Amino acid sequence: MPPPGVDGLVLLHLAKPGGAAVKAVDLEGRGVWTVRFPTLVRFASFLEDGLVLADETSVVRVDPRSGAAVWTWTPPSRMRSFVLAGASLVFLAQDPRGESDMQVAALDALSGTPTWTRPFEGIPSSRLHAAGEGVVFTTVQPNRIWMFEADTGRRTGPEATYPEGLATQVVHVAPELLVLLAEGRSIDAYELPTGRLRWRAPLPNTAVRAVEVGREGLVLLAMRRRLNGPEEGG
């Protein structure tokens, strides 16, 4: 929720060659403040009485009423895939000691203090997702589900894997459940943090166009490919 005093402001993300900016304007369109970045802004969220912004090269916490910087943090390597879990801003980054290696790290989003960094194997195949008191993401090479406590960086659960094959995407995350869609093969639900397969629904010859989560469960908009004939909607 926005803190008091910013109800009359509209925040805009402005992008142009050579940089980007977050600009606050009032309801009459007059500029109030601007914070500039060298790359596109990848994360923005209110936290208590501040606004946390991040691009690939820095994280800044500003007073959303004035745009004044409370603190600025510059990482040793470029960042990607941010998620706020509690007061921890968790992100992925290249290991500065070797650009081919990746790591997951966290920053205290209230104070701007780095709190932990952990290496992991593989190539990220999903963005970071908040799951209860932790964060979760998937990799390929190897196909693995990774989960870390947001506050401490402690790895939670055993080594959890998912099947090799077609591209897999995360379609739903809950505190105790991760749902993966393997296009044309199945939709699978894994328990968190154990990584144990809870259920699998085969979807052979099916192209899923959209997935929504409702009170009754998952709702899929999909087209089933016929061996001889047009696709069927369902």
Side-chain angles (χ1 to χ4, degrees), residues 9-223:
L9 295 181
V10 177
L11 302 182
L12 306 175
H13 180 208
L14 307 177
K16 60 182 180 179
V22 173
K23 183 175 183 178
V25 299
D26 63 21
L27 297 181
E28 296 182 1
R30 295 173 298 194
V32 178
W33 54 260
T34 302
V35 178
R36 303 186 186 281
F37 294 86
T39 64
L40 293 178
V41 175
R42 303 295 184 181
F43 177 84
S45 178
F46 290 109
L47 179 63
E48 295 189 358
D49 61 347
L51 173 64
V52 181
L53 304 168
D55 73 342
E56 296 177 354
T57 65
S58 66
V59 184
V60 60
R61 180 182 173 92
V62 303
D63 182 334
R65 292 165 288 271
S66 66
V70 178
W71 53 256
T72 301
W73 180 74
T74 303
S77 61
R78 287 182 176 265
M79 303 173 290
R80 55 182 282 197
S81 189
F82 301 87
V83 68
L84 188 65
S88 295
L89 180 62
V90 188
F91 56 90
L92 302 179
Q94 293 177 328
D95 188 330
R97 297 166 298 182
E99 293 187 356
S100 62
D101 298 322
M102 296 292 295
Q103 57 189 14
V104 56
L107 185 74
D108 185 321
L110 292 173
S111 66
T113 304
T115 52
W116 54 265
T117 301
R118 300 288 182 269
F120 64 89
E121 296 178 85
I123 302 169
S125 56
S126 78
R127 64 180 179 87
L128 287 171
H129 298 267
E133 297 182 351
V135 296
V136 63
F137 63 99
T138 61
T139 59
V140 295
Q141 301 178 21
N143 285 25
R144 189 169 294 172
I145 300 168
W146 299 86
M147 189 170 183
F148 297 86
E149 287 185 352
D151 290 342
T152 66
R154 184 178 69 87
R155 175 86 183 275
T156 58
E159 183 176 293
T161 61
Y162 61 94
E164 301 281 347
L166 299 177
T168 301
Q169 59 178 307
V170 176
V171 295
H172 179 63
V173 178
E176 298 179 352
L177 194 70
L178 173 71
V179 181
L180 301 180
L181 170 66
E183 188 71 29
R185 185 181 65 203
S186 64
I187 187 166
D188 305 336
Y190 294 85
E191 294 180 359
L192 298 176
T194 65
R196 183 169 58 247
L197 180 67
R198 179 179 293 183
W199 53 260
R200 170 171 291 153
L203 296 172
N205 303 317
T206 302
V208 176
R209 306 304 189 194
V211 180
E212 296 291 339
V213 180
R215 289 183 296 179
E216 302 300 322
L218 292 174
V219 179
L220 277 65
L221 174 63
M223 302 292 290

